[in-house]
Amino acid sequence: MITPTFKVDQDSDSVTIVINTPYVRAQDVDLHVEGSEFRFYLRNILEDDDSKAVYDPSAGQFTIRVTKETKGEHFVDLDLLTKLLARTGETSTQPNQPKKPLIEVVGGTEENLGETEIQDAIDFNWELPQEVSEMPELTITAHYGFNNQYHGYFTHVQETMNEINEITEPEKSTVESRRAERIESENNRFDEDHYCMDFINDEEIKDLIKYKTLFAKELKRLQKNAKSAEIKATKPLIQEITPMDVSGDLDMNGLSIEDSNETLLKFTSKEDTMMRDLPNKEYLLSNEKSTYLGLVDLMFAYCYNYRVTEGDNNVESVWCIGRISPTISSLDQFTVLKDVMISCYRRALTYPLYRNIALCEKVLQDVYIMFKLGKRAILKALLDMKYLFDHHDVYYVYSKIFLDDYCVWIQHSNDNVLKTLAHELHHFKLEKNELGWDIEELEQIAEQMKDMEGEMEQENDQDMQRAEMIL
């Protein structure tokens, strides 16, 4: 079954579906609506009092307007197109005989779904270590990737020009061996001179830190709207005029960038196409906490690249993202948030062009903003990453084992868990001595070098002045 290009919108009374179907006749189309299910067939058109379908032959588009059973009801996630597709393996069925899913999710009824998601978020402890499930020892090959469901993708990795991979023999590795190899490689490659030079000559880095990302602008817009709504709701008859402060951590539970014409993060036509091309799958995760933490390090790598390129990807972007992310470069898995951030900081201070603690701290703020904004902002980042990796001759493999699944899964993810992660990221502090290197000592040495250079320049200036006076 072929899925045509489509988009979905809604108002308080109806849902509107626009389907791009050039070179067809309107009389060949059959529409079926039942409950929350909408089916579009190229057969005979159906018209009744509750629905309306219009075909524009010049644009090659059908516009179908379906009346809502409950006026004013708001349907969530209509912009997450992958979720609207039939699940992988489903075929068209008779209207009155829905096909039973291959895997039934227990406890997912509409009545208790909200309470279950909130409880799931409460149950997550981002500071408590948890054992990562491994495949049995008798397993010949290693398993890695999203939900540990892949193997065999790195059989001949040494014969390829894969400069992201940091594991010598991925197909014979374990979680522990990959982590040990990653840490050893970081220790060997950390360049003290490079770090000291970036610490002293930080003019460019300061400019990068000042850069306002699109995601930060979106958060500020939402905070401003929340503040305005709060002022209107509590506005007294006589009001003292004060400057509006939008820098605080406002309660944004009632706000969303979903279905907002004002949002700066509206999905583009390219992103819509990418979502439609993804299969709609449901995942039974072996370690859900590890999956969320893997998302954190992916967002850190993405936000680092986004900031240093000021939102304009270049030829090095795919390497930069892959190299900084321990999930991608080392196929690593985490169960504690601090371990994720230590690894991300270490890699950001070892591999890319700009290696600076202050820059890492700013990137951490960017990651917090992504999780504060929710799944749509994260999905846009994942789709951007997927596009970069998809179009690389070697690195496309990481889309297959990570990014494709993350792009599908994030659309079904728990909003409350994302909020708890945002809260943890907002209050997270990492001490320099936790990185495993003598960062503070290096910075003191760098400061001394800078002072010595200043004194030498001053002496040179004085010598030149004396020479001029003699002449």
Side-chain angles (χ1 to χ4, degrees):
M1 181 172 63
I2 299 175
T3 301
T5 301
F6 71 94
K7 61 181 179 180
V8 185
D9 203 353
Q10 66 177 321
D11 55 32
S12 59
D13 296 332
S14 62
V15 175
T16 302
I17 307 104
V18 179
I19 305 174
N20 187 29
T21 54
Y23 316 121
V24 302
R25 298 181 302 173
Q27 59 266 33
D28 294 336
V29 172
D30 179 25
L31 305 177
H32 169 69
V33 180
E34 182 177 354
S36 61
E37 183 178 292
F38 172 82
R39 293 183 182 271
F40 177 88
Y41 301 97
L42 280 175
R43 282 204 291 267
N44 297 319
I45 192 166
L46 175 65
E47 296 181 1
D48 54 32
D49 296 336
D50 296 327
S51 61
K52 177 183 179 181
V54 177
Y55 179 63
D56 182 356
S58 61
Q61 290 182 339
F62 275 96
T63 301
I64 300 99
R65 188 173 187 270
V66 183
T67 304
K68 291 183 177 180
E69 184 177 3
T70 304
K71 300 295 178 62
E73 181 180 3
H74 180 77
F75 298 112
V76 298
D77 296 347
L78 292 185
D79 57 335
L80 304 182
L81 301 185
T82 308
K83 291 183 66 174
L84 303 182
L85 301 175
R87 296 193 187 279
T88 302
E90 288 186 358
T91 57
S92 21
T93 60
Q94 295 298 325
N96 297 325
Q97 295 179 350
K99 182 178 179 180
K100 186 175 180 180
L102 296 177
I103 300 176
E104 184 175 354
V105 181
V106 180
T109 60
E110 301 232 346
E111 291 78 6
N112 63 15
L113 185 56
E115 296 180 3
T116 302
E117 288 189 348
I118 293 175
Q119 187 59 47
D120 287 344
I122 295 174
D123 291 341
F124 276 103
N125 187 329
W126 304 108
E127 299 178 359
L128 183 66
Q130 180 179 344
E131 184 178 351
V132 177
S133 59
E134 278 276 16
M135 301 302 293
E137 293 184 2
L138 294 178
T139 304
I140 299 176
T141 58
H143 285 71
Y144 42 75
F146 187 89
N147 202 31
N148 269 337
Q149 60 183 345
Y150 296 100
H151 63 88
Y153 280 82
F154 297 98
T155 303
H156 305 289
V157 67
Q158 304 302 331
E159 301 173 13
T160 65
M161 296 294 292
N162 189 335
E163 297 179 357
I164 288 178
N165 173 60
E166 202 158 43
I167 308 303
T168 306
E169 294 183 292
E171 298 301 333
K172 298 180 181 180
S173 64
T174 64
V175 173
E176 290 78 13
S177 69
R178 293 194 291 265
R179 181 171 299 120
E181 191 169 351
R182 170 181 63 77
I183 294 173
E184 181 181 3
S185 178
E186 291 164 359
N187 288 334
N188 292 335
R189 292 173 180 267
F190 177 68
D191 190 330
E192 295 180 350
D193 293 337
H194 191 138
Y195 179 82
C196 289
M197 291 302 296
D198 277 1
F199 182 77
I200 298 174
N201 305 314
D202 59 350
E203 292 80 10
E204 289 186 29
I205 293 174
K206 287 180 178 178
D207 290 337
L208 294 175
I209 291 174
K210 292 177 183 177
Y211 173 70
K212 300 295 183 183
T213 69
L214 185 66
F215 302 97
K217 293 176 182 177
E218 173 67 5
L219 179 59
K220 186 173 182 179
R221 183 189 72 82
L222 291 175
Q223 289 176 328
K224 186 175 181 180
N225 288 349
K227 189 68 175 180
S228 299
E230 181 182 328
I231 292 174
K232 290 179 180 178
T234 60
K235 185 176 181 180
L237 294 177
I238 300 177
Q239 181 180 1
E240 180 182 358
I241 299 176
T242 58
M244 183 180 298
D245 179 13
V246 298
S247 61
D249 190 19
L250 299 174
D251 179 13
M252 294 176 54
N253 290 334
L255 287 178
S256 172
I257 63 176
E258 176 195 2
D259 296 336
S260 171
N261 293 326
E262 298 179 0
T263 180
L264 303 176
L265 301 180
K266 196 174 185 66
F267 290 116
T268 64
S269 58
K270 182 180 79 172
E271 291 165 343
D272 285 342
T273 300
M274 293 177 69
M275 282 190 281
R276 285 192 298 267
D277 290 342
L278 289 167
N280 186 15
K281 299 190 291 186
E282 188 160 356
Y283 297 92
L284 294 179
L285 299 178
S286 58
N287 192 325
E288 190 173 10
K289 181 181 176 184
S290 180
T291 303
Y292 279 102
L293 291 175
L295 186 64
V296 173
D297 96 56
L298 290 175
M299 288 301 100
F300 187 95
Y302 176 82
C303 289
Y304 179 96
N305 175 75
Y306 191 97
R307 179 163 290 279
V308 299
T309 63
E310 297 187 344
D312 187 13
N313 292 322
N314 56 39
V315 293
E316 295 292 333
S317 290
V318 62
W319 175 89
C320 179
I321 293 172
R323 205 68 165 127
I324 291 178
S325 167
T327 289
I328 291 178
S329 62
S330 306
L331 308 176
D332 209 342
Q333 301 174 43
F334 300 94
T335 61
V336 181
L337 179 60
K338 175 172 282 191
D339 290 346
V340 179
M341 300 317 305
I342 289 175
S343 176
C344 289
Y345 270 52
R346 283 169 58 91
R347 300 189 70 77
L349 297 176
T350 302
Y351 296 104
L353 177 61
Y354 301 106
R355 307 176 188 180
N356 184 276
I357 285 285
L359 179 59
C360 289
E361 292 172 347
K362 189 62 178 180
V363 171
L364 175 58
Q365 294 179 22
D366 294 337
V367 178
Y368 154 71
I369 289 173
M370 301 291 285
F371 280 84
K372 183 74 171 176
L373 290 173
K375 64 177 65 174
R376 284 166 183 79
I378 295 173
L379 176 57
K380 280 187 73 72
L382 289 170
L383 290 172
D384 193 16
M385 292 170 64
K386 172 176 161 55
Y387 183 83
L388 289 173
F389 281 85
D390 281 350
H391 291 79
H392 194 279
D393 293 342
V394 177
Y395 303 147
Y396 71 91
V397 65
Y398 295 107
S399 280
K400 302 296 183 184
I401 65 174
F402 283 116
L403 298 177
D404 287 356
D405 289 300
Y406 263 112
C407 286
V408 176
W409 170 80
I410 191 63
Q411 299 181 52
H412 301 272
S413 63
N414 187 331
D415 290 319
N416 293 295
V417 175
L418 297 178
K419 289 177 183 177
T420 64
L421 255 179
H423 176 80
E424 294 294 327
L425 290 165
H426 189 48
H427 296 89
F428 184 84
K429 300 295 181 183
L430 187 62
E431 301 297 333
K432 295 177 182 179
N433 57 13
E434 295 179 293
L435 296 174
W437 300 317
D438 296 326
I439 298 296
E440 293 181 342
E441 182 179 345
L442 289 174
E443 291 177 352
Q444 291 175 1
I445 295 174
E447 288 285 5
Q448 294 173 2
M449 291 172 56
K450 187 175 182 180
D451 293 340
M452 291 175 60
E453 289 179 0
E455 292 175 358
M456 292 178 61
E457 289 179 0
Q458 187 176 2
E459 291 177 359
N460 291 335
D461 291 341
Q462 292 175 352
D463 291 342
M464 291 181 63
Q465 290 176 1
R466 293 192 193 101
E468 291 175 356
M469 291 175 63
I470 293 173
L471 294 175

